[in-house]
Amino acid sequence: MDALLVTSCLVVAAAVAAALLGAAPGASAAPRAFFVFGDSLVDNGNNNYLMTTARADAPPYGIDFPTHIPTGRFSNGLNIPDIISEHLGSEPALPYLSPYLRGDKLLVGANFASAGVGILNDTGIQFVNIIRIGQQLENFQEYQQKLAAFVGEDAAAQVVNNALVLITLGGNDFVNNYFLVPFSVRSRQFAIQDYVPYLISEYRKILTRLYELGARRVVVTGTGMIGCVPAELAMHSIDGECARDLTVAADLFNPQLVRMLAGLNAEIGRDVFIAANTNRASFDFMFNPQDYGFVTSKVACCGQGPYNGIGLCTPASNVCPNRDVYAYWDAFHPTERASRIIVGQFMHGSTDHISPMNISTILATDSNRG
């Protein structure tokens, strides 16, 4: 056999063996794979490859990213999946549409998220060409075929089963669907008290399919404080108070999501789905920003109009000089620093922040089983 081919085979074998160990951060073996699904809070560049207005590929996005250039992340720097990857001891998973997602990079995982999407297929229709959640799951299947071609079917299945998965959906189903315009189609079809259970039932189908595709540790985030983001303050707030309708919606959605996840886990017989309470994780710094070193949790760093909450963050927008003292980067998305606080709660927080266990406990538990 050719010496170069032998060397290549050995390298692949070693990479696969390391990935299958799923070691915790700090261990000598490679970290477990990481897969990401959802919307703009977790998209790290898939929409750059699409003809859509839901993109973050122009300055000043990425101003604090290591390369200081826009990457498609809706952040001044790193986003929530990037920071979780740091805790895993891993490089960030590449966007699924990236041409660089091949070979050894497949073992790191993949990010399937697409800005603008929701639980429902009609959410985000104004953005036209986005990767709806059903297609994200189909892309996950396709990814597994590519991985199996690289490492073999059994090894690929183990990589997927041992992976950590993050899924973030729901906010757009309110902001960019039900409450997008007065008398929206969905608001005429459902009272909010009926819309939320419908969303939960549809989300259950999505998560069941994710389990069928091999996911065994899935962190599911609830909606954040969607009534308090700068965009909603600019459009719907009275005297800086959070928008009531969206706050009520989030308060209905999050507890029902937790109950649904508990029911799924009971059916499966193990804790596959982990409920991450984004609302609770951001509550303290939203209402006590000075305690966390923020000068404001209401005004976006980048934007224009009241609270810098009108329109998009563009090269013509106001941009704050120090992003670390702002909780919000643009009208909807947190700064890297705020994201680090949220991820810190997911990693180490109590069951008020993430249940039935935090990510650090997951990593320790799974490492001990291995």
Side-chain angles (χ1 to χ4, degrees):
M1 185 181 286
D2 182 88
L4 183 60
L5 182 56
V6 171
T7 301
S8 297
C9 290
L10 289 173
V11 169
V12 169
V16 173
L20 296 186
L21 288 173
S28 57
R32 67 205 294 167
F34 184 36
F35 301 112
V36 181
F37 301 86
D39 57 28
S40 59
L41 288 166
V42 293
D43 183 357
N44 71 343
N46 280 308
N47 280 20
N48 287 1
Y49 300 93
L50 305 174
M51 294 295 291
T52 178
T53 55
R55 293 165 68 131
D57 59 344
Y61 285 97
I63 189 171
D64 298 310
F65 195 74
T67 58
H68 304 293
I69 59 174
T71 61
R73 292 164 172 83
F74 287 77
S75 173
N76 60 300
L78 303 182
N79 65 7
I80 285 172
D82 295 324
I83 299 163
I84 292 175
S85 290
E86 286 183 353
H87 285 279
L88 294 176
S90 176
E91 62 188 275
L94 288 171
Y96 181 69
L97 297 184
S98 169
Y100 301 104
L101 184 63
R102 59 180 187 267
D104 287 349
K105 295 294 185 185
L106 292 167
L107 295 167
V108 177
N111 187 316
F112 301 91
S114 177
V117 305
I119 295 166
L120 304 181
N121 281 335
D122 55 294
T123 293
I125 55 173
Q126 68 271 32
F127 302 123
V128 186
N129 189 20
I130 52 180
I131 310 170
R132 304 190 186 285
I133 189 60
Q135 184 61 53
Q136 290 183 33
L137 296 177
E138 288 183 27
N139 290 348
F140 187 36
Q141 279 186 281
E142 191 176 84
Y143 158 87
Q144 292 187 43
Q145 293 166 4
K146 294 177 182 177
L147 182 63
F150 181 56
V151 301
E153 287 191 9
D154 290 345
Q158 268 195 279
V159 168
V160 171
N161 290 162
N162 290 340
L164 183 69
V165 179
L166 173 70
I167 184 165
T168 295
L169 290 171
N172 283 327
D173 294 288
F174 298 110
V175 172
N176 283 309
N177 191 331
Y178 193 92
F179 293 109
L180 179 63
V181 293
F183 309 110
S184 68
V185 172
R186 288 296 188 183
S187 68
R188 294 198 307 272
Q189 182 183 9
F190 293 102
I192 191 65
Q193 293 84 355
D194 300 319
Y195 182 63
V196 170
Y198 173 61
L199 285 181
I200 296 294
S201 68
E202 292 301 301
Y203 206 175
R204 194 181 198 281
K205 296 173 188 175
I206 292 163
L207 296 174
T208 299
R209 182 60 182 145
L210 194 53
Y211 178 77
E212 290 169 352
L213 291 173
R216 293 297 179 265
R217 285 296 196 189
V218 185
V219 177
V220 184
T221 67
T223 63
M225 304 188 72
I226 52 177
C228 308
V229 300
E232 299 306 327
L233 294 181
M235 292 185 290
H236 301 124
S237 175
I238 299 172
D239 298 328
E241 296 297 315
C242 298
R244 184 178 180 279
D245 287 349
L246 282 158
T247 300
V248 167
D251 288 346
L252 288 170
F253 180 84
N254 288 322
Q256 291 184 45
L257 176 64
V258 171
R259 287 195 293 273
M260 181 265 282
L261 297 179
L264 272 177
N265 286 339
E267 283 184 22
I268 293 167
R270 59 174 294 195
D271 292 327
V272 171
F273 297 102
I274 310 298
N277 190 337
T278 312
N279 201 301
R280 182 66 185 85
S282 56
F283 181 90
D284 287 343
F285 71 74
M286 286 295 296
F287 287 99
N288 302 288
Q290 284 75 23
D291 292 350
Y292 292 82
F294 295 122
V295 297
T296 178
S297 58
K298 294 183 177 182
V299 179
C301 170
C302 181
Q304 46 280 313
Y307 304 99
N308 275 343
I310 301 296
L312 302 173
C313 172
T314 72
S317 297
N318 305 312
V319 181
C320 66
N322 182 3
R323 274 70 64 183
D324 283 346
V325 297
Y326 281 71
Y328 279 97
W329 160 243
D330 65 11
F332 290 101
H333 305 98
T335 57
E336 176 181 329
R337 185 155 176 273
S339 293
R340 287 190 178 278
I341 294 171
I342 292 167
V343 171
Q345 299 287 15
F346 292 171
M347 293 301 304
H348 307 293
S350 70
T351 51
D352 287 342
H353 299 95
I354 182 165
S355 65
M357 69 189 91
N358 61 39
I359 297 176
S360 292
T361 302
I362 292 170
L363 297 178
T365 300
D366 294 351
S367 178
N368 290 336
R369 282 179 186 163

